[in-house]
C-alpha cells in the first residue's frame, strides 16, 4: 500500500512549489522591507527648509510618537498623499517631520505655500546623504518613530486613509500604551 | 543614399559606452577595478533588474558617488557591502548573503541533489538484486 502511493511524493513536492511560486506572482517586488524596523533612527544633522541656519537632527524625534515623511516637489506620489498629510496634521496629535529629499529649496517652499504645510519642521537633504543613511530609495516614504527614537514602521508610496487606519493607527496606539505604562 | 550610408557608417563607429558616467573612472586601477566590480553587483532598487553600474536613476548615481567616496577613503569590499546591506537590506546585493532565513536558497539545491543521488543508488542496488527475467524481450 505505502509502496504504491510513493509516486505521490514528487507530485506533492511539485504541488507545494507551485503554491509557493503562485503566491509570489502577486507580491509587489518594489516593496522592499526596511532593515531599520525596530532600530534607532539613523543620526543626521541637516539645515531646515525655512531657516538655513537652523539645524534638525534625529534628537527632534525624542519624547513623542512622530512621522518622518520623505518628499520632494518633483514627486507625483507626494502630490497624491499631500491631502492625507494635511488631514493627519489637522485631526491627530501625531507631529509630521519632513525630509525634503533631492529637491530645490525654492521649489519646495513654493510647494508648501501652494498646498499647505503639514510639517512641524523640514530637514533639507539636497544631496541624498541622510536619504542613503535611512535606506530611502524613492519618495514618498513615511517612517513611524516612537518616543525613544526607534523606527517602528516604514511605508513606501503615498499614504492613504486605508493604510493609515490599517498600519499606522494600531502601531501608534500600542506605542502610546507602552509610553503611558513606562511613565506611570 | 550617401546620407544613409554615412549614417550607418557612423552608427557602426559608435562604440558601446561602458560607464553611465564617464567621470566614474577612478585614478588608481586597483580601486577602479573594485569600484566597477561592486557597482556591477549592487541592485538599483528603483529599477530592480539593473545594477547601479548601468542605471541612469538618480538614486543609482548617488550610490555610485557614495561607493566611490568610500573606496577613495580606503574602505574594502566587505565594508562597502556592509554599508549598503545595513541601509537597504540583503536585497540590494545580487548575490545574497548566507543567512538563516535564506538557508533554503543556498542549501536547497545541494539537499535535492543529494536526495536524488541516494534515491538513484538505492533504486539501482535493488534492481541489481532482482532475478533476471530470461523471457523478457
Amino acid at each position: 500500500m505505502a509502496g504504491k502511493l510513493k509516486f505521490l511524493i514528487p507530485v506533492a513536492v511539485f504541488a507545494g512549489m507551485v503554491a509557493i511560486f503562485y503566491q509570489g506572482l502577486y507580491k509587489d517586488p518594489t516593496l522592499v522591507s526596511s532593515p531599520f524596523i525596530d532600530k534607532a533612527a539613523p543620526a543626521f544633522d541637516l539645515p531646515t527648509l525655512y531657516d538655513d541656519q537652523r539645524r534638525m537632527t534625529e534628537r527632534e524625534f525624542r519624547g513623542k510618537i512622530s512621522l518622518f515623511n520623505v518628499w520632494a516637489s518633483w514627486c507625483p506620489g507626494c502630490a497624491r498623499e499631500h491631502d492625507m498629510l494635511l488631514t493627519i496634521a489637522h485631526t491627530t496629535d501625531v507631529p509630521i517631520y519632513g525630509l525634503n529629499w533631492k529637491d530645490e529649496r525654492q521649489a519646495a517652499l513654493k510647494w508648501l505655500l501652494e498646498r499647505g504645510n503639514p510639517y512641524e519642521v523640514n530637514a533639507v537633504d539636497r544631496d541624498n546623504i541622510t536619504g542613503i543613511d535611512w535606506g530611502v530609495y524613492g519618495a514618498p516614504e513615511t517612517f513611524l518613530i516612537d518616543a525613544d527614537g526607534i523606527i517602528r514602521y516604514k511605508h513606501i508610496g503615498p499614504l492613504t486613509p486605508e493604510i493609515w487606519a490599517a498600519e499606522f493607527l494600531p502601531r501608534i496606539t500600542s506605542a502610546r500604551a507602552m509610553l503611558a505604562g513606562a511613565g506611570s | 543614399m550617401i546620407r544613409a550610408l554615412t549614417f550607418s557608417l557612423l552608427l557602426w563607429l559608435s562604440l558601446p559606452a561602458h560607464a553611465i558616467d564617464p567621470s566614474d573612472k577612478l585614478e588608481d586601477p586597483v580601486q577602479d577595478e573594485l569600484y566597477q566590480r561592486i557597482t556591477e553587483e549592487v541592485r538599483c532598487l528603483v529599477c530592480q533588474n539593473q545594477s547601479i553600474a548601468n542605471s541612469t536613476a538618480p538614486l543609482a548615481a548617488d550610490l555610485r558617488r557614495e561607493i566611490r567616496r568610500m573606496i577613495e577613503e580606503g574602505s574594502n569590499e566587505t565594508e562597502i557591502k556592509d554599508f549598503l546591506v545595513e541601509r537597504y537590506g540583503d536585497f540590494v546585493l545580487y548575490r545574497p548573503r548566507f543567512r538563516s532565513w535564506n538557508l533554503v536558497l543556498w542549501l536547497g539545491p545541494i539537499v535535492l541533489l543529494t536526495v536524488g543521488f541516494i534515491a538513484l543508488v538505492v533504486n539501482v542496488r535493488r534492481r541489481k538484486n532482482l532475478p533476471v527475467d530470461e523471457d523478457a524481450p
Side-chain angles (χ1 to χ4, degrees):
Chain A
M1 179 62 194
K4 282 219 175 114
L5 287 176
K6 246 203 220 147
F7 80 95
L8 278 178
I9 296 172
V11 176
V13 170
F14 178 72
M17 285 169 76
V18 167
I20 290 167
F21 293 145
Y22 186 78
Q23 230 187 359
L25 281 180
Y26 296 95
K27 281 188 180 163
D28 184 350
T30 61
L31 300 181
V32 182
S33 66
S34 171
F36 288 108
I37 305 302
D38 294 333
K39 297 219 176 95
F44 65 91
D45 186 352
L46 292 171
T48 62
L49 184 59
Y50 282 105
D51 182 357
D52 203 13
Q53 300 304 309
R54 225 192 109 189
R55 312 289 293 184
M56 179 185 168
T57 72
E58 78 289 352
R59 287 187 295 278
E60 195 87 38
F61 302 129
R62 295 271 164 164
K64 68 243 165 192
I65 292 137
S66 58
L67 299 181
F68 194 35
N69 177 253
V70 182
W71 67 282
S73 63
W74 47 261
C75 146
C78 304
R80 263 182 283 146
E81 76 170 1
H82 200 76
D83 282 343
M84 186 59 207
L85 292 178
L86 288 170
T87 308
I88 294 167
H90 293 146
T91 61
T92 75
D93 51 358
V94 181
I96 307 174
Y97 294 92
L99 183 69
N100 184 233
W101 187 62
K102 291 169 77 69
D103 204 356
E104 297 296 331
R105 184 180 292 266
Q106 286 313 317
L109 289 171
K110 185 166 166 264
W111 168 285
L112 294 182
L113 192 68
E114 283 171 359
R115 295 165 196 261
N117 181 3
Y119 303 103
E120 301 285 322
V121 186
N122 267 291
V124 176
D125 185 24
R126 220 193 106 151
D127 299 320
N128 194 10
I129 304 293
T130 300
I132 287 179
D133 282 341
W134 281 66
V136 170
Y137 65 86
E141 288 186 10
T142 306
F143 294 86
L144 178 68
I145 301 166
D146 76 8
D148 298 318
I150 309 287
I151 296 172
R152 289 301 174 194
Y153 186 68
K154 174 187 176 181
H155 175 69
I156 295 161
L159 274 179
T160 63
E162 292 75 29
I163 288 159
W164 177 253
E167 306 292 350
F168 283 85
L169 278 181
R171 288 181 172 89
I172 291 168
T173 311
S174 70
R176 288 231 159 110
M178 267 172 62
L179 195 61
S184 62
Chain B
M1 179 61 198
I2 294 285
R3 215 187 238 187
L5 213 74
T6 317
F7 180 67
S8 52
L9 205 72
L10 281 174
L11 266 187
W12 178 74
L13 278 174
S14 62
L15 293 164
H18 287 293
I20 294 282
D21 180 1
S23 68
D24 250 11
K25 203 147 172 65
L26 284 146
E27 299 238 333
D28 183 317
V30 179
Q31 288 189 344
D32 190 59
E33 191 272 329
L34 179 63
Y35 173 71
Q36 303 299 343
R37 185 150 43 89
I38 293 177
T39 51
E40 288 286 337
E41 257 190 56
V42 175
R43 186 192 306 272
C44 170
L45 289 160
V46 185
C47 31
Q48 293 182 353
N49 294 327
Q50 284 186 312
S51 69
I52 62 166
N54 57 28
S55 170
T56 52
L59 178 70
D62 292 344
L63 286 177
R64 286 199 299 271
R65 179 198 68 203
E66 282 305 300
I67 292 170
R68 206 161 47 227
R69 183 184 60 77
M70 288 184 81
I71 291 175
E72 280 165 355
E73 284 172 6
S75 302
N76 64 31
E77 187 167 348
T78 319
E79 284 163 349
I80 293 171
K81 285 186 175 171
D82 285 346
F83 173 90
L84 293 165
V85 168
E86 211 177 278
R87 286 162 178 74
Y88 292 95
D90 287 280
F91 189 60
V92 78
L93 298 178
Y94 272 114
R95 276 186 293 175
R97 292 178 162 184
F98 203 87
R99 299 283 168 101
S100 57
W101 52 265
N102 64 17
L103 271 184
V104 175
L105 188 68
W106 280 99
L107 299 181
I110 301 167
V111 170
L112 281 180
L113 202 69
T114 314
V115 168
F117 186 72
I118 291 169
L120 183 78
V121 169
V122 167
N123 211 319
V124 167
R125 285 217 175 147
R126 209 179 45 204
R127 285 189 184 203
K128 225 160 95 181
N129 295 336
L130 288 177
V132 178
D133 189 351
E134 298 286 353
D135 297 332

